[in-house]
Amino acid sequence: MLVRPPYLRENPEMSSAPLDPFSDLLKFADAQTVVSGGFTAGGAWCIRFPPPGKIKFFAILRGGGWLDIEGEPAPHRLDAGDVFLLPAQRPFRLGSDLRATPVEARTVFGPNTGCGIRQVGDGDEFFLLGAHVVLDPAYGWLLADILPPVILVRHTAPEADGLHWLLDQLVREHAADLPGAGIAAAQLAHLLFIRILRAHLVAGAPLPAGWLRAATDARLAPALRLMHGDPGRAWQLGELAKAAAMSRTTFAQYFKAVAGIPPLAYLTAWRMRLAERALKEQNAPVSELAHRLGYASESAFSNAFKRVTGVGPRRYRGTVGS
């Protein structure tokens, strides 16, 4: 059973220490990882996959091949130990020989094959294990829209050792018929997903201005922890700049360059995301929610909410509840 984290607690005094902003982003996107199986293959083979419909990631446990994503300038060579993640909704091909006549993925895996291991071609010199990530329908865009078409972590990368340990444990759990194996495998796969994202960020890949870049920026981290940890406080620009060890002007300029919006606009946007979630999942009066989010009156909160979302909070609650 999935238990959602209490983003806006009924009793803020009972809240624990705030998570880092990147963890907040992952939790708010409600990323859940599901092991979706894999396949072994041999000879000259090629599989054509439709647009995934969700974030998918794969680990090459044995052998090598090629990954060809529609819209990418050239195929990617894959070797044992490589891990790749596909956020983009594009068709792609996997194969030992991309010139071979492709087999459609649906004929290999079918609509209801669970998380078993399938066979493609002749032999088993290639072995791949896959998983997919389900995001919150309303807030998953916070993560999905800011990732590149493909993230490829090579087996030679500095972060690969940790990934390989997780993969080894995942394979063991996937193969074992032990109590809790399914949950253990899902947790390992989720940690693998987070480590892939972390490896991408550590590699210094350029990120567009936005939530993810801000959430992983070391200079902004102290200020973001304050805003995420106590969103109902009337934070002043000077306080946030001091936490980040910058002047007000430098902080404001740097924050906007990284996040795409000014600091206090970011705080308002974060409050509104919290308000949307609370209106969906809690029955607290709008006046109480306004108070917890730092607004002096229900009307001030309602005006801010409508300015950001296009509808008032009461109407929003009625819409999502219907």
Side-chain angles (χ1 to χ4, degrees):
M1 180 178 69
L2 172 66
V3 179
R4 296 184 186 272
Y7 291 98
L8 197 58
R9 296 172 184 267
E10 299 292 343
N11 185 354
E13 287 74 25
M14 296 298 291
S15 63
S16 58
L19 295 167
D20 66 275
F22 182 50
S23 295
D24 253 351
L25 178 60
L26 287 173
K27 282 184 170 291
F28 208 78
D30 200 13
Q32 303 170 61
T33 307
V34 180
V35 179
S36 51
F39 65 89
T40 59
W45 60 274
C46 181
I47 306 177
R48 180 163 50 208
F49 293 80
K54 55 181 72 74
I55 295 176
K56 286 194 172 185
F57 63 94
F58 304 85
I60 311 300
L61 302 177
R62 185 169 63 245
W66 296 91
L67 167 66
D68 182 33
I69 306 170
E70 185 177 285
E72 287 290 286
H76 300 271
R77 173 64 192 178
L78 303 173
D79 295 302
D82 290 349
V83 180
F84 62 96
L85 185 141
L86 302 175
Q89 299 306 302
R90 304 178 186 176
F92 63 97
R93 292 183 298 156
L94 279 173
S96 63
D97 185 352
L98 296 178
R99 296 169 299 181
T101 302
V103 177
E104 298 297 331
R106 65 176 179 272
T107 66
V108 176
F109 302 102
N112 299 299
T113 56
C115 56
I117 304 300
R118 303 296 160 185
Q119 173 67 42
V120 179
D122 301 317
D124 62 354
E125 56 262 30
F126 180 88
F127 180 24
L128 172 147
L129 195 64
H132 64 262
V133 181
V134 180
L135 300 176
D136 184 279
Y139 308 110
W141 63 268
L142 290 169
L143 183 62
D145 288 1
I146 50 181
L147 294 175
V150 58
I151 297 174
L152 177 56
V153 183
R154 297 291 185 184
H155 65 283
T156 54
E159 299 79 24
D161 286 346
L163 295 177
H164 294 163
W165 184 88
L166 287 171
L167 282 170
D168 181 65
Q169 298 302 312
L170 181 58
V171 171
R172 290 171 184 267
E173 292 291 345
H174 194 263
D177 186 19
L178 298 173
I183 293 178
Q187 296 292 335
L188 287 164
H190 190 61
L191 183 54
L192 184 62
F193 168 62
I194 293 172
R195 294 292 291 268
I196 293 171
L197 293 180
R198 186 185 296 170
H200 170 64
L201 298 171
V202 168
L207 294 171
W211 289 86
L212 182 60
R213 185 173 168 189
T216 56
D217 187 280
R219 295 183 67 188
L220 293 183
L224 288 173
R225 286 180 187 273
L226 293 179
M227 288 189 279
H228 282 239
D230 191 359
R233 179 170 170 175
W235 293 105
Q236 300 298 312
L237 184 63
E239 294 178 285
L240 300 173
K242 183 178 180 181
M246 302 183 204
S247 69
R248 287 166 54 98
T249 301
T250 300
F251 174 73
Q253 293 174 343
Y254 183 77
F255 194 104
K256 186 173 182 179
V258 173
I261 54 177
L264 298 185
Y266 177 98
L267 176 60
T268 298
W270 181 243
R271 285 173 171 175
M272 295 305 105
R273 299 291 83 80
L274 294 172
E276 288 174 335
R277 177 61 62 86
L279 288 167
K280 286 172 60 178
E281 300 179 356
Q282 299 176 15
N283 294 319
V286 174
S287 58
E288 181 181 327
L289 179 58
H291 175 72
R292 282 190 272 145
L293 283 172
Y295 288 89
S297 66
E298 180 179 335
S299 62
F301 166 68
S302 297
N303 289 335
F305 188 89
K306 186 173 183 179
R307 186 167 59 249
V308 172
T309 66
V311 296
R314 295 181 186 279
R315 182 177 175 185
Y316 180 87
R317 172 175 274 168
T319 301
V320 298
S322 61

